[in-house]
Amino acid sequence: MSDTAASPGTGLGQPLVVLKDVNKHFGDLHVLKDINLTVHEGEVVVVIGPSGSGKSTLCRTINRLESFESGSISIHGDELPEEGKALARLRADVGMVFQSFNLFSHKTILENVTMGPVKARGVKPAAARAKAMELLERVGVDHQAEKYPAQLSGGQQQRVAIARSLAMEPSVMLFDEPTSALDPEMINEVLDVMTQLARSGMTMIVVTHEMGFARKAADRVVFMSDGAIVEENTPEEFFTNPQSSRAKDFLGKILTH
């Protein structure tokens, strides 16, 4: 698929994340099948599909948390190194927010957000603290800065995890099912932060079951099934006029409830 075909949105920047013919197996299971995907600067791409379709694996290969056997992934035109310092440098440019919040339980919220910039980027502690407080205010938990993760709700912890990723000033943010571990009343507070982030121009790749978010915040919806990208389009087109039988079947099951 060409870059132009992959990008129905308008006014997008340069290609930032480019996957070409990416394949991955778990044993005999072919979990990613010839994945071709180009995500442009400032674009919000939401990846949806049934469980087991390869969405999370796709998300995790983008910064090599999962290896892949063939094909290539590049960020800003640099191909992903397999290991070492070059990979660490590239990873620092890719923010990642998971289902579980992965905060350091023995450190305060403020310490959780300042650690990366100080240790990995060499930012002075005072500057890191000032930036962290700004980000915690942006996600609505600045008043919790001196607390420990266990003292916060799941929704608050996930918002801290987003602030922690943003503190590294990444070029692109990956979200892997960021609301799936949350109680229903906490989901919207996290999605609201993500929607604000999308509108601020952050490049985002989001794996989610939240169709309302996909409709509201995505520039493009990518639908996966059985390890392959089956269909991609603008949210409006995808939800109102799906082209493939698999997408129609999927939407029929989830949108009727």
Side-chain angles (χ1 to χ4, degrees):
M1 178 174 290
S2 71
D3 287 355
T4 47
S7 176
T10 54
L12 295 172
Q14 295 296 311
L16 202 165
V17 179
V18 180
L19 290 82
K20 286 186 180 166
D21 302 322
V22 173
N23 282 276
K24 177 175 177 61
H25 291 76
F26 286 128
D28 291 336
L29 192 62
H30 197 174
V31 287
L32 293 179
K33 301 173 182 172
D34 293 320
I35 298 293
N36 286 286
L37 181 66
T38 297
V39 179
H40 296 75
E41 286 176 1
E43 189 178 18
V44 178
V45 172
V46 175
V47 184
I48 64 173
S51 295
S53 57
K55 308 182 300 289
S56 287
T57 305
L58 171 69
C59 197
R60 293 169 67 87
T61 56
I62 290 173
N63 63 356
R64 268 202 192 274
L65 288 175
E66 294 281 1
S67 59
F68 52 96
E69 288 106 37
S70 64
S72 68
I73 299 178
S74 60
I75 297 170
H76 282 309
D78 295 324
E79 205 164 311
L80 273 186
E82 290 198 24
E83 53 193 21
K85 285 185 177 171
L87 178 59
R89 270 197 304 275
L90 209 56
R91 271 195 186 146
D93 205 32
V94 180
M96 183 122 193
V97 179
F98 301 88
Q99 295 178 28
S100 52
F101 324 121
N102 295 341
L103 299 175
F104 292 109
S105 59
H106 61 292
K107 294 197 175 291
T108 65
I109 296 311
L110 185 59
E111 288 167 339
N112 265 281
V113 178
T114 55
M115 266 182 72
V118 170
K119 293 197 166 179
R121 295 261 198 238
V123 177
K124 297 270 192 310
R129 283 176 67 90
K131 178 73 173 172
M133 286 307 296
E134 199 181 292
L135 289 169
L136 289 171
E137 183 179 1
R138 184 172 169 186
V139 300
V141 287
D142 48 314
H143 58 296
Q144 311 278 15
E146 298 306 327
K147 290 187 177 175
Y148 289 86
Q151 295 173 278
L152 272 61
S153 71
Q156 289 170 327
Q157 289 187 59
Q158 192 60 297
R159 286 185 279 154
V160 172
I162 293 171
R164 181 182 59 180
S165 278
L166 289 173
M168 294 294 285
E169 299 188 339
S171 296
V172 56
M173 291 273 285
L174 309 178
F175 292 86
D176 184 15
E177 302 276 14
T179 58
S180 64
L182 299 177
D183 292 333
E185 70 271 18
M186 294 174 191
I187 289 173
N188 280 341
E189 65 188 55
V190 173
L191 292 177
D192 285 347
V193 167
M194 290 170 60
T195 303
Q196 289 164 17
L197 196 55
R199 289 184 178 147
S200 76
M202 173 60 76
T203 310
M204 295 165 63
I205 301 171
V206 183
V207 172
T208 186
H209 289 294
E210 299 295 332
M211 298 301 137
F213 174 81
R215 281 190 140 150
K216 184 163 64 173
D219 294 303
R220 177 161 40 126
V221 172
V222 171
F223 174 72
M224 289 186 73
S225 183
D226 298 321
I229 293 177
V230 176
E231 191 170 332
E232 49 187 309
N233 216 323
T234 61
E236 175 66 22
E237 277 297 310
F238 178 78
F239 286 108
T240 59
N241 188 25
Q243 300 299 303
S244 64
S245 57
R246 277 184 284 181
K248 286 174 186 164
D249 182 53
F250 175 77
L251 291 172
K253 284 176 179 160
I254 59 162
L255 297 180
T256 50
H257 296 294

